[in-house]
């Protein structure tokens, strides 16, 4: 069983969508029992909320039902999860700063490193102040990266892009 935590800023757009996309990719491959996915934010201001209504609507159109309740990342997450996957460079830096040990810091990676069909992507950008295109772009990147992430967890010897 591999446990993966996705992290963005508010935990209401990118990371709750990543969590559900990853769950669906694993299910399509019959690997539900091998993975556990969760998400959190570096900012706790949306704690307890469902994902943003725009994110839920765009995700719904692709068949993803987003029901996660927002929460802030905590120190225990570094012990509970095998991998902590961040959406952009600010999330990456913020999460690494919270890591309680070098071993915990080594669990923190960037989602963009698993993208294969969008090789120019350097992050999964914050859609909060964007229009519909921003949310669609997030889902395109997440679907691509989740395939790459699960491949990489199944075949740990394969290099990232
Ligand atoms: P997320 O998007 O990090 O993908 O959940 C955001 C959500 C809320 C805010 C910013 C980004 N905010 O400023 O409240």
């Amino acid at each position: 069983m591999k446990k993966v935590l996705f992290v963005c800023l508010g935990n209401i757009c990118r990371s709750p969508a990543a969590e559900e996309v990853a769950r669906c990719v694993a299910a399509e491959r019959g690997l539900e029992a091998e993975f556990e996915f969760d998400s959190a934010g570096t900012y706790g201001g949306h704690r307890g909320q469902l994902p943003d209504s725009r994110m839920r609507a765009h995700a719904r159109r692709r068949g993803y039902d987003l029901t996660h309740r927002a929460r802030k990342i905590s120190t225990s997450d570094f012990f509970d999860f095998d991998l902590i996957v961040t959406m952009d460079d600010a999330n990456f830096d913020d999460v690494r700063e919270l890591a309680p040990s070098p071993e915990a810091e080594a669990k923190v990676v960037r989602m963009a490193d698993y993208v294969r069909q969008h090789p120019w992507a350097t992050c999964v950008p914050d859609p909060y102040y964007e229009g519909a295109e921003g949310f669609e772009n997030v889902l395109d990147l997440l679907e691509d990266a989740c395939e790459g992430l699960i491949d990489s967890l199944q075949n740990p010897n394969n290099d990232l892009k």
Side-chain angles (χ1 to χ4, degrees):
M1 161 76 79
K2 286 256 164 53
K3 295 183 71 175
V4 179
L5 181 70
F6 296 101
V7 179
C8 61
L9 174 61
N11 194 211
I12 54 169
C13 296
R14 294 166 289 175
S15 62
E19 174 194 335
E20 190 56 26
V21 171
R23 213 172 270 129
C24 288
V25 170
E28 276 165 17
R29 300 186 190 190
L31 300 173
E32 298 95 323
E34 294 191 29
F35 295 102
E36 198 172 298
F37 302 105
D38 191 9
S39 66
T42 58
Y43 165 67
H46 296 282
R47 188 178 280 114
Q49 294 179 10
L50 280 171
D52 182 282
S53 58
R54 298 164 296 170
M55 189 77 253
R56 285 164 63 201
H58 284 274
R60 184 70 243 150
R61 289 214 303 262
R62 298 191 190 201
Y64 307 113
D65 189 17
L66 307 188
T67 59
H68 176 79
R69 293 284 176 170
R71 70 177 183 88
K72 190 170 188 245
I73 187 170
S74 71
T75 306
S76 61
D77 288 319
F78 290 92
F79 299 101
D80 292 344
F81 290 90
D82 301 300
L83 196 66
I84 301 180
V85 185
T86 58
M87 297 296 139
D88 62 31
D89 286 347
N91 310 148
F92 181 74
D93 292 344
D94 290 346
V95 173
R96 280 168 54 101
E97 262 180 41
L98 294 171
S101 67
E103 293 75 21
E105 197 176 301
K107 293 182 175 181
V108 186
V109 298
R110 294 177 170 88
M111 189 66 157
D113 288 342
Y114 298 96
V115 159
R116 294 178 298 202
Q117 309 302 322
H118 306 77
W120 55 89
T122 57
C123 71
V124 180
D126 184 351
Y128 197 67
Y129 297 104
E130 305 292 329
E133 220 173 281
F135 287 89
E136 288 298 313
N137 182 47
V138 164
L139 289 166
D140 288 342
L141 292 171
L142 294 180
E143 288 178 338
D144 183 359
C146 283
E147 296 282 354
L149 173 66
I150 289 174
D151 281 349
S152 137
L153 290 171
Q154 284 193 278
N155 306 291
N157 296 326
N158 283 2
D159 284 337
L160 297 178
K161 90 177 174 192

